[in-house]
Amino acid sequence: MKLFKFGIYAFMAFSLSSCIVSTAAKVVTTTAKLGYSAVKGTVKGVSWAVQKADGKIDEDRIDGTWKVVGVYNGTYEQFSQDNNPENQFKNNCSDGFEVIEFKSKREKFRPVHCSSEDEDLVKYDFKFGKNPQSNNKENYLKYNSNNYISIIDVTSKTMVLEGNLMQNYVFSGGKLYLFEKVK
């Protein structure tokens, strides 16, 4: 009888330990997958947790005025593999910020400029699909017939765009831009 009880206890202990080990392995695997897909960092106090949007982004999310807080010299793919991404941004405006303004209801945007200056509005087409420039399925803006801006992600506070948005960074390789919502 004692041997039977001991056998049952041993079997239960083995079963419980294997359940705990398999559950812990699942948690570690899931955490590793989540950690791999999002690239995190901080740029001038703004969290730069960049993860490419999965699926179509609602066009109204880009509406508003956004100030530039970070520039990365390279593409999103290069940024996602960089262990220590460096912020290359220096504000060139004497007063105010360098901003980009979107009016999504009219499908127009004002390119990056100092907030004290007025630039002309540019008409764009918001699309989700295969971007002709990068050949990736993503959210993007097409403007001036053959120019493209990839929309990496948009939250209520930050937006990450990829493209040639600021002329003074184009020649140095600046392609990935972090914006913070102003209004």
Side-chain angles (χ1 to χ4, degrees):
M1 185 72 172
K2 287 184 180 184
L3 187 59
F4 180 71
K5 284 184 181 179
F6 178 73
I8 289 177
Y9 289 136
F11 176 73
M12 288 176 44
F14 177 74
S15 297
L16 284 174
S17 67
S18 66
C19 288
I20 291 171
V21 169
S22 66
T23 303
K26 287 178 186 173
V27 168
V28 169
T29 304
T30 304
T31 305
K33 286 180 185 174
L34 290 174
Y36 174 74
S37 63
V39 181
K40 296 180 177 147
T42 303
V43 178
K44 295 188 179 182
V46 177
S47 174
W48 191 340
V50 180
Q51 179 177 348
K52 202 162 207 172
D54 186 25
K56 187 173 190 317
I57 295 174
D58 183 16
E59 185 178 355
D60 293 338
R61 290 173 71 185
I62 66 171
D63 196 46
T65 303
W66 302 82
K67 71 177 179 176
V68 181
V69 293
V71 175
Y72 177 75
N73 286 345
T75 63
Y76 172 73
E77 284 75 24
Q78 292 168 332
F79 176 80
S80 64
Q81 295 176 8
D82 194 342
N83 292 333
N84 191 16
E86 187 177 335
N87 181 16
Q88 303 295 323
F89 178 66
K90 292 181 182 83
N91 188 358
N92 292 328
C93 296
S94 56
D95 295 331
F97 305 104
E98 290 188 279
V99 298
I100 190 168
E101 184 179 354
F102 286 95
K103 298 182 183 292
S104 61
K105 290 184 176 139
R106 294 172 45 196
E107 288 192 331
K108 292 188 175 186
F109 79 100
R110 198 175 313 266
V112 175
H113 63 284
C114 289
S115 56
S116 58
E117 297 177 11
D118 257 347
E119 295 274 332
D120 292 333
L121 289 170
V122 177
K123 179 101 172 106
Y124 68 83
D125 289 325
F126 184 94
K127 297 185 178 198
F128 175 71
K130 187 175 179 182
N131 184 335
Q133 198 168 38
S134 67
N135 291 326
N136 294 328
K137 187 173 183 180
E138 60 191 7
N139 295 280
Y140 66 95
L141 304 175
K142 179 182 178 183
Y143 66 100
N144 293 341
S145 73
N146 62 353
N147 292 317
Y148 301 92
I149 299 172
S150 297
I151 303 169
I152 303 299
D153 195 20
V154 181
T155 67
S156 61
K157 296 180 183 179
T158 60
M159 175 171 65
V160 180
L161 302 177
E162 183 178 358
N164 296 327
L165 298 172
M166 299 173 71
Q167 294 302 320
N168 51 337
Y169 290 103
V170 171
F171 297 113
S172 64
K175 292 186 179 180
L176 195 65
Y177 298 86
L178 173 66
F179 295 89
E180 183 179 34
K181 184 93 172 207
V182 176
K183 57 180 175 175

PDB file of all heavy atoms in Angstrom, residues 65-77:
ATOM      1  N   THR A  65      -0.517  67.799 -36.817  1.00  0.00           N
ATOM      2  CA  THR A  65       0.826  68.363 -36.944  1.00  0.00           C
ATOM      3  C   THR A  65       1.784  67.527 -36.098  1.00  0.00           C
ATOM      4  O   THR A  65       1.522  67.259 -34.931  1.00  0.00           O
ATOM      5  CB  THR A  65       0.839  69.828 -36.473  1.00  0.00           C
ATOM      6  OG1 THR A  65      -0.116  70.560 -37.241  1.00  0.00           O
ATOM      7  CG2 THR A  65       2.202  70.451 -36.652  1.00  0.00           C
ATOM      8  N   TRP A  66       2.897  67.133 -36.715  1.00  0.00           N
ATOM      9  CA  TRP A  66       3.883  66.271 -36.079  1.00  0.00           C
ATOM     10  C   TRP A  66       5.258  66.931 -36.149  1.00  0.00           C
ATOM     11  O   TRP A  66       5.662  67.383 -37.203  1.00  0.00           O
ATOM     12  CB  TRP A  66       3.958  64.935 -36.815  1.00  0.00           C
ATOM     13  CG  TRP A  66       2.675  64.190 -36.894  1.00  0.00           C
ATOM     14  CD1 TRP A  66       1.671  64.389 -37.798  1.00  0.00           C
ATOM     15  CD2 TRP A  66       2.240  63.137 -36.048  1.00  0.00           C
ATOM     16  NE1 TRP A  66       0.649  63.517 -37.570  1.00  0.00           N
ATOM     17  CE2 TRP A  66       0.972  62.725 -36.502  1.00  0.00           C
ATOM     18  CE3 TRP A  66       2.807  62.477 -34.961  1.00  0.00           C
ATOM     19  CZ2 TRP A  66       0.268  61.700 -35.896  1.00  0.00           C
ATOM     20  CZ3 TRP A  66       2.096  61.449 -34.358  1.00  0.00           C
ATOM     21  CH2 TRP A  66       0.848  61.073 -34.826  1.00  0.00           C
ATOM     22  N   LYS A  67       5.971  66.993 -35.012  1.00  0.00           N
ATOM     23  CA  LYS A  67       7.324  67.570 -35.026  1.00  0.00           C
ATOM     24  C   LYS A  67       8.359  66.462 -35.101  1.00  0.00           C
ATOM     25  O   LYS A  67       8.186  65.373 -34.552  1.00  0.00           O
ATOM     26  CB  LYS A  67       7.563  68.462 -33.816  1.00  0.00           C
ATOM     27  CG  LYS A  67       7.684  67.742 -32.497  1.00  0.00           C
ATOM     28  CD  LYS A  67       7.987  68.713 -31.377  1.00  0.00           C
ATOM     29  CE  LYS A  67       8.081  67.975 -30.052  1.00  0.00           C
ATOM     30  NZ  LYS A  67       8.455  68.857 -28.966  1.00  0.00           N
ATOM     31  N   VAL A  68       9.447  66.737 -35.796  1.00  0.00           N
ATOM     32  CA  VAL A  68      10.542  65.779 -35.952  1.00  0.00           C
ATOM     33  C   VAL A  68      11.341  65.739 -34.648  1.00  0.00           C
ATOM     34  O   VAL A  68      11.768  66.766 -34.152  1.00  0.00           O
ATOM     35  CB  VAL A  68      11.476  66.185 -37.117  1.00  0.00           C
ATOM     36  CG1 VAL A  68      12.596  65.169 -37.281  1.00  0.00           C
ATOM     37  CG2 VAL A  68      10.709  66.355 -38.408  1.00  0.00           C
ATOM     38  N   VAL A  69      11.531  64.523 -34.111  1.00  0.00           N
ATOM     39  CA  VAL A  69      12.358  64.376 -32.912  1.00  0.00           C
ATOM     40  C   VAL A  69      13.515  63.412 -33.126  1.00  0.00           C
ATOM     41  O   VAL A  69      14.409  63.328 -32.295  1.00  0.00           O
ATOM     42  CB  VAL A  69      11.533  63.940 -31.670  1.00  0.00           C
ATOM     43  CG1 VAL A  69      10.594  65.027 -31.243  1.00  0.00           C
ATOM     44  CG2 VAL A  69      10.806  62.645 -31.923  1.00  0.00           C
ATOM     45  N   GLY A  70      13.506  62.672 -34.240  1.00  0.00           N
ATOM     46  CA  GLY A  70      14.593  61.737 -34.477  1.00  0.00           C
ATOM     47  C   GLY A  70      14.756  61.394 -35.937  1.00  0.00           C
ATOM     48  O   GLY A  70      13.789  61.349 -36.679  1.00  0.00           O
ATOM     49  N   VAL A  71      16.009  61.182 -36.335  1.00  0.00           N
ATOM     50  CA  VAL A  71      16.335  60.769 -37.702  1.00  0.00           C
ATOM     51  C   VAL A  71      17.353  59.639 -37.595  1.00  0.00           C
ATOM     52  O   VAL A  71      18.324  59.745 -36.850  1.00  0.00           O
ATOM     53  CB  VAL A  71      16.935  61.931 -38.526  1.00  0.00           C
ATOM     54  CG1 VAL A  71      17.369  61.445 -39.901  1.00  0.00           C
ATOM     55  CG2 VAL A  71      15.947  63.074 -38.658  1.00  0.00           C
ATOM     56  N   TYR A  72      17.121  58.573 -38.338  1.00  0.00           N
ATOM     57  CA  TYR A  72      18.056  57.457 -38.378  1.00  0.00           C
ATOM     58  C   TYR A  72      18.622  57.357 -39.787  1.00  0.00           C
ATOM     59  O   TYR A  72      17.879  57.373 -40.758  1.00  0.00           O
ATOM     60  CB  TYR A  72      17.367  56.151 -37.990  1.00  0.00           C
ATOM     61  CG  TYR A  72      18.278  54.950 -38.075  1.00  0.00           C
ATOM     62  CD1 TYR A  72      19.245  54.733 -37.107  1.00  0.00           C
ATOM     63  CD2 TYR A  72      18.184  54.053 -39.134  1.00  0.00           C
ATOM     64  CE1 TYR A  72      20.101  53.648 -37.180  1.00  0.00           C
ATOM     65  CE2 TYR A  72      19.032  52.959 -39.212  1.00  0.00           C
ATOM     66  CZ  TYR A  72      19.987  52.766 -38.247  1.00  0.00           C
ATOM     67  OH  TYR A  72      20.840  51.695 -38.316  1.00  0.00           O
ATOM     68  N   ASN A  73      19.938  57.254 -39.887  1.00  0.00           N
ATOM     69  CA  ASN A  73      20.591  57.122 -41.189  1.00  0.00           C
ATOM     70  C   ASN A  73      20.506  55.679 -41.649  1.00  0.00           C
ATOM     71  O   ASN A  73      21.354  54.859 -41.309  1.00  0.00           O
ATOM     72  CB  ASN A  73      22.057  57.564 -41.124  1.00  0.00           C
ATOM     73  CG  ASN A  73      22.190  59.056 -41.042  1.00  0.00           C
ATOM     74  OD1 ASN A  73      21.240  59.782 -41.299  1.00  0.00           O
ATOM     75  ND2 ASN A  73      23.356  59.525 -40.670  1.00  0.00           N
ATOM     76  N   GLY A  74      19.488  55.378 -42.418  1.00  0.00           N
ATOM     77  CA  GLY A  74      19.290  54.034 -42.940  1.00  0.00           C
ATOM     78  C   GLY A  74      17.816  53.703 -43.024  1.00  0.00           C
ATOM     79  O   GLY A  74      16.955  54.508 -42.678  1.00  0.00           O
ATOM     80  N   THR A  75      17.544  52.493 -43.475  1.00  0.00           N
ATOM     81  CA  THR A  75      16.169  52.040 -43.657  1.00  0.00           C
ATOM     82  C   THR A  75      15.645  51.417 -42.371  1.00  0.00           C
ATOM     83  O   THR A  75      16.398  51.206 -41.410  1.00  0.00           O
ATOM     84  CB  THR A  75      16.103  50.987 -44.782  1.00  0.00           C
ATOM     85  OG1 THR A  75      16.874  49.855 -44.377  1.00  0.00           O
ATOM     86  CG2 THR A  75      16.634  51.543 -46.092  1.00  0.00           C
ATOM     87  N   TYR A  76      14.355  51.061 -42.387  1.00  0.00           N
ATOM     88  CA  TYR A  76      13.758  50.395 -41.229  1.00  0.00           C
ATOM     89  C   TYR A  76      14.421  49.039 -40.981  1.00  0.00           C
ATOM     90  O   TYR A  76      14.658  48.672 -39.838  1.00  0.00           O
ATOM     91  CB  TYR A  76      12.250  50.219 -41.420  1.00  0.00           C
ATOM     92  CG  TYR A  76      11.636  49.370 -40.344  1.00  0.00           C
ATOM     93  CD1 TYR A  76      11.465  49.875 -39.063  1.00  0.00           C
ATOM     94  CD2 TYR A  76      11.274  48.049 -40.588  1.00  0.00           C
ATOM     95  CE1 TYR A  76      10.930  49.091 -38.051  1.00  0.00           C
ATOM     96  CE2 TYR A  76      10.743  47.260 -39.589  1.00  0.00           C
ATOM     97  CZ  TYR A  76      10.570  47.782 -38.328  1.00  0.00           C
ATOM     98  OH  TYR A  76      10.052  47.002 -37.331  1.00  0.00           O
ATOM     99  N   GLU A  77      14.728  48.304 -42.044  1.00  0.00           N
ATOM    100  CA  GLU A  77      15.370  47.004 -41.887  1.00  0.00           C
ATOM    101  C   GLU A  77      16.736  47.150 -41.217  1.00  0.00           C
ATOM    102  O   GLU A  77      17.097  46.364 -40.343  1.00  0.00           O
ATOM    103  CB  GLU A  77      15.516  46.297 -43.247  1.00  0.00           C
ATOM    104  CG  GLU A  77      14.225  45.701 -43.775  1.00  0.00           C
ATOM    105  CD  GLU A  77      13.254  46.740 -44.327  1.00  0.00           C
ATOM    106  OE1 GLU A  77      13.706  47.841 -44.733  1.00  0.00           O
ATOM    107  OE2 GLU A  77      12.050  46.468 -44.329  1.00  0.00           O
TER     108      GLU A  77
END
